Amino acid sequence: MTLNPSGWRPEAPQGGTADAPTFTGNRALMLEEPLIFEIGATDTTGVDFALTPAANGSRLAGLERAAPIGLPGLSEPEAVRHYTRLSRQNYAIDLGLFPLGSCTMKHNPRLNEKVARMPGFADVHPLQPVDTVQGALEVINELAVWLIALTGMHGVAMTPKAGAHGELCGILCIKAALEARGEGHRKVILVPESAHGTNPATAAFAGYAVEDIPATAEGRVDLAALKARLGPDVAAVMITNPNTCGLFERDMKAISDAVHAVGGYVYCDGANFNAIVGRVRPGDLGIDAMHINLHKTFSTPHGGGGPGSGPVVLSEALSPYGPLPFTARMADGHVRLIEEENAGEEHPHSFGRMTAFHGQMGMFTRALTYILSHGADGLRQVAEDAVLNANYILRSLEGTLDAPFAAAGPCMHEAIFSDAGLAEGFSTIDIAKALIDEGYHPMTMYFPLVVHGAMLIEPTETESKATLDQFIGALKSVAERAKAGDPALKSAPHFAPRRRLDETLAARKPVLVWKEPTLAEAAE
Ligand SMILES: *Cc1c(COP(=O)(O)O)cnc(C)c1O
């Protein structure tokens, strides 16, 4: 394929619409952007001059590149424009409502960013001498104290770097506690159907056999079925609460008591803590370990794979096994970092480390800023408003879309709908793709698995009523079209840079390396 150095390809798809085609493939400010390899050629570079020989031969002492490495050469404006154009094709919480259920995509207050950028926090290095980072340790410790107070637990491991990483940390604590009791033979972890997918993955990764516990027709854990399965081979249960159907597990205390009675531990997936912060303390429900996604409940930005932070709060029974390092306030008022060298007598049973250093400092700073700026009463209102917004969505749409658990009462932080009642041949994906045309990121689709064609919507507390009303209007309009069988919906999105990609193929067989097309391919 011969490429014009400017990146414009004579064979680029015609842009615009049938009655208003464009020469460039662009549609006004929506720019058609080729791959960087298609813009720059490997044999061009931004520098035109031949290299001047160094005075004493080569400065690279024999380390010169022997063969080209195949990277495209671009001028600086070309490179800057390429990445800026791509970045404008992103959807972001700063652009509009992000209805992804289970993800708690809320506004991130700019105050968090201001504090995180203060040089004393932003430039701190984990290998600095401890006496030069007292302020950073103070922040980690203060956040730990808040998390313990908000959850009513005994201790907290701050180092895990995401929710799923926190799950692993909690399960490794449980494993260490069982081994210390001489009960390492307990090999089963029970996971209800309404749990998040990371829960069974974590249990399996830690070497446990995973067994399902069914959900009731109401979308909650079947307590009788759980009790019937408990026994001396059960190491733990992992329960998501509020669960992925957006419902609070009301039997949580009874579940914990039953699991403890047979010698097991209770892991709670606390990623949905946003719905209950300030209203319920997991410690009062008999939970032994629970991760908190700072990047959900406490607003630090997330998406696209990071950054995250998943501290794990621990019961008194599990705290001795928590990972190193951690912070502790000493009698003299200073915060000390407890590491392998000094853990000896104070923390001899730790299962080890989760990370090289102390956790995600940038997330700690943001989360503590968020907590302090809301205060205890403000955090409680966060939960109340998040639940109110979700119920507003549920009640506004239940007449249009099938809402499988709506009759069971109010939901928590997210509303769930199914694809029942759409026209023959139409399903959740058609609604999701049409929402892209309406300018929204789609909701979470086909999850949780207990609901056919699930659509899970979590508005969070940071959206105004006007924003919710516009979203509800868009979803209603799209849903009515899917119920009426509007054929245009089957080929949505019509206004996105690309239409329907083969997402399964992309996930199963990702093409991660660009290869120069052969002559035959280029001629196609
Ligand atoms: C987001 C989420 C997780 C996983 O958290 P990560 O930080 O993405 O690893 C686990 N459980 C539930 C219920 C979640 O919503």
Side-chain angles (χ1 to χ4, degrees), residues 136-210:
L137 294 182
E138 190 73 36
V139 164
I140 299 176
N141 202 69
E142 171 104 11
L143 179 59
V145 168
W146 267 95
L147 297 180
I148 288 172
L150 287 168
T151 55
M153 299 288 279
H154 187 265
V156 59
M158 297 296 287
T159 55
K161 293 197 170 179
H165 203 209
E167 290 174 30
L168 182 62
C169 175
I171 294 300
L172 291 179
C173 288
I174 290 173
K175 193 173 201 169
L178 287 172
E179 277 164 10
R181 268 172 29 195
E183 295 189 35
H185 59 269
R186 289 175 180 258
K187 280 288 172 230
V188 175
I189 290 188
L190 304 178
V191 181
E193 277 178 347
S194 54
H196 192 264
T198 48
N199 297 184
T202 297
F205 187 77
Y208 289 95
V210 180

Side-chain angles (χ1 to χ4, degrees), residues 70-360:
L71 290 178
L74 274 75
S75 69
E76 181 167 324
E78 282 172 336
V80 168
R81 282 180 188 154
H82 175 69
Y83 289 108
T84 306
R85 287 174 173 186
L86 289 183
S87 75
R88 289 176 13 142
Q89 296 185 355
N90 275 337
Y91 192 77
I93 190 68
D94 289 345
L95 286 173
L97 174 113
F98 218 122
L100 267 188
S102 205
C103 291
T104 316
M105 301 297 289
K106 61 162 86 174
H107 170 68
N108 298 290
R110 290 303 177 270
L111 181 63
N112 297 356
E113 299 304 318
K114 192 171 174 184
V115 174
R117 280 167 176 69
M118 288 165 72
F121 294 132
D123 298 340
V124 76
H125 192 282
L127 291 178
Q128 262 174 255
V130 168
D131 57 357
T132 67
V133 292
Q134 286 300 306
L137 294 182
E138 190 73 36
V139 164
I140 299 176
N141 202 69
E142 171 104 11
L143 179 59
V145 168
W146 267 95
L147 297 180
I148 288 172
L150 287 168
T151 55
M153 299 288 279
H154 187 265
V156 59
M158 297 296 287
T159 55
K161 293 197 170 179
H165 203 209
E167 290 174 30
L168 182 62
C169 175
I171 294 300
L172 291 179
C173 288
I174 290 173
K175 193 173 201 169
L178 287 172
E179 277 164 10
R181 268 172 29 195
E183 295 189 35
H185 59 269
R186 289 175 180 258
K187 280 288 172 230
V188 175
I189 290 188
L190 304 178
V191 181
E193 277 178 347
S194 54
H196 192 264
T198 48
N199 297 184
T202 297
F205 187 77
Y208 289 95
V210 180
E211 285 186 29
D212 263 5
I213 297 293
T216 61
E218 259 202 324
R220 294 189 169 86
V221 177
D222 186 332
L223 180 60
L226 177 87
K227 280 187 172 165
R229 180 55 191 85
L230 288 175
D233 58 337
V234 172
V237 298
M238 293 182 85
I239 295 191
T240 304
N241 197 16
N243 70 25
T244 55
C245 298
L247 303 173
F248 189 73
E249 295 288 358
R250 295 195 199 109
D251 293 330
M252 198 63 223
K253 185 74 174 73
I255 292 171
S256 301
D257 291 345
V259 174
H260 290 153
V262 299
Y265 291 100
V266 180
Y267 188 91
C268 179
D269 179 331
N272 297 329
F273 194 49
N274 201 50
I276 56 173
V277 59
R279 299 208 45 125
V280 180
R281 299 192 317 161
D284 298 336
L285 303 177
I287 284 154
D288 291 297
M290 180 182 97
H291 72 266
I292 299 169
N293 299 53
L294 295 186
H295 50 287
K296 293 179 181 171
T297 309
F298 299 111
S299 89
T300 69
H302 67 121
S309 182
V312 182
V313 286
L314 298 168
S315 64
E316 198 167 356
L318 290 188
S319 289
Y321 306 98
L324 295 164
F326 62 93
T327 59
R329 192 174 297 284
M330 297 290 124
D332 66 0
H334 279 94
V335 173
R336 179 145 163 251
L337 194 61
I338 313 289
E339 298 199 78
E340 281 81 346
E341 303 83 77
N342 57 14
E345 292 193 353
E346 286 162 71
H347 199 63
H349 304 297
S350 167
F351 73 74
R353 270 184 179 253
M354 289 302 291
T355 61
F357 298 116
H358 321 311
Q360 299 277 42

Side-chain angles (χ1 to χ4, degrees), residues 4-30:
N4 182 307
S6 74
W8 173 74
R9 290 172 293 162
E11 69 274 35
Q14 284 300 296
T17 58
D19 30 328
T22 61
F23 172 78
T24 51
N26 299 334
R27 274 182 244 165
L29 295 181
M30 192 136 74

Side-chain angles (χ1 to χ4, degrees), residues 446-476:
Y446 302 118
F447 176 83
L449 303 177
V450 282
V451 170
H452 192 270
M455 290 171 249
L456 189 63
I457 300 173
E458 178 178 8
T460 82
E461 72 284 357
T462 59
E463 301 304 335
S464 69
K465 180 165 178 297
T467 306
L468 294 181
D469 283 337
Q470 193 196 38
F471 174 71
I472 289 165
L475 189 47
K476 261 191 186 161

Side-chain angles (χ1 to χ4, degrees), residues 47-66:
V47 181
D48 291 326
F49 301 112
L51 288 178
T52 44
N56 312 318
S58 167
R59 291 192 196 94
L60 293 175
L63 295 174
E64 296 89 344
R65 198 179 286 146

